[in-house]
Amino acid sequence: MKLSSDTLSVLKNFSTINEGIFVKRGNVIETISKQKNILAKAELKDTFDDEFGIHDLNNFLGVLSMQRADTPELEFSDKNITILGLSGRSKTNYRKASKETILVPPDKKVNMDNAEVSFTVTPDDLDWITRAASVLGSPNIAFTSDGESVSIETFDSKDDSAHVNSTELNVAGNGAKYRMVFATDNLKLIPGSYDITISSKGIGHFKNATVNVEYWITTETGSKYEG
């Protein structure tokens, strides 16, 4: 099989969450961070007929990218993923990792039915706030509302003297006042528009509107919901 560019993009993104991954049969892949504060799930265009584990996903993707002109063919056996490159002249036997050696997401799904906060962030606003956090060196991002408007803020929860950026979203408030704080490093999202729901119980759900990928990310200390 050959992996589509969309699948490769998802795998690259998931490698920033956990360096290892276990892929089940089918077209759905999941990963979880070692701190268990980020869970991600994607439905792919590609379907895997075999299950396999990879210890170092970045390394695996690097091997796939060695042949720049074309995506290599993958063949699966009991112990290896054979990567065929250079029109079949190159053959790399990439060793599979066992499921027991990789942190695998739990079977239990996260229930967001009673989440109090919901809104949509456009690709431009998400890109802007991500760049602002990077340029200003902000370790935290908060979604805030005074009841009438909704904003995203970059800041440092441990340093009141640090630089702050606040960007108002084109979203009407629902009357509730809240400040939901996340670690900037945990918002490892594929670019795009996101439907976001956040629960006062300490979890946020980020669903991409164009790519079939979603993330569950825990909130940080300092988050509050007043209703």
Side-chain angles (χ1 to χ4, degrees), residues 13 16-17 33 35 37-38 130 133-134 137-141 182-189 217-218 220:
N13 173 254
T16 67
I17 298 173
S33 64
Q35 295 77 20
N37 53 5
I38 309 171
T130 300
S134 176
S138 304
N140 296 102
I141 289 176
F182 294 86
T184 301
D185 285 345
N186 288 347
L187 296 178
K188 303 175 184 294
L189 310 178
I217 305 170
T218 59
E220 300 293 308

Side-chain angles (χ1 to χ4, degrees), residues 5-17 21 27-32 38-45 126 186-197 204-217:
S5 59
D6 289 343
T7 294
L8 291 171
S9 294
V10 170
L11 289 173
K12 184 176 181 180
N13 173 254
F14 279 18
S15 72
T16 67
I17 298 173
I21 192 169
N27 69 332
V28 175
I29 61 172
E30 297 178 300
T31 191
I32 188 170
I38 309 171
L39 173 66
K41 176 183 177 181
E43 184 175 327
L44 308 174
K45 296 178 180 178
L126 181 62
N186 288 347
L187 296 178
K188 303 175 184 294
L189 310 178
I190 289 177
S193 173
Y194 277 86
D195 297 322
I196 300 174
T197 55
H205 180 226
F206 299 73
K207 183 173 177 57
N208 194 297
T210 54
V211 181
N212 206 338
V213 62
E214 52 191 322
Y215 309 81
W216 293 264
I217 305 170

Side-chain angles (χ1 to χ4, degrees), residues 79-136:
K79 295 183 178 180
N80 297 312
I81 304 170
T82 300
I83 304 167
L84 302 174
L86 298 178
S87 300
R89 294 188 297 113
S90 171
K91 181 182 294 186
T92 301
N93 286 325
Y94 202 93
R95 197 74 167 177
K96 289 181 178 179
S98 64
K99 183 178 181 179
E100 293 72 25
T101 63
I102 296 173
L103 181 62
V104 177
D107 292 331
K108 184 179 180 181
K109 304 306 177 185
V110 182
N111 187 347
M112 298 294 297
D113 290 344
N114 297 318
E116 298 91 344
V117 176
S118 63
F119 52 87
T120 298
V121 175
T122 66
D124 288 343
D125 283 345
L126 181 62
D127 176 67
W128 172 264
I129 208 67
T130 300
R131 288 190 290 121
S134 176
V135 172
L136 296 177

Side-chain angles (χ1 to χ4, degrees), residues 23-72:
V23 178
K24 300 177 182 178
R25 293 180 179 87
N27 69 332
V28 175
I29 61 172
E30 297 178 300
T31 191
I32 188 170
S33 64
K34 291 184 177 180
Q35 295 77 20
K36 298 182 180 181
N37 53 5
I38 309 171
L39 173 66
K41 176 183 177 181
E43 184 175 327
L44 308 174
K45 296 178 180 178
D46 300 322
T47 299
F48 294 99
D49 295 326
D50 298 84
E51 63 179 27
F52 58 93
I54 296 175
H55 272 307
D56 190 337
L57 187 50
N58 263 322
N59 179 258
F60 178 73
L61 293 172
V63 175
L64 296 184
S65 68
M66 286 170 59
Q67 182 171 319
R68 299 178 181 178
D70 191 18
T71 303

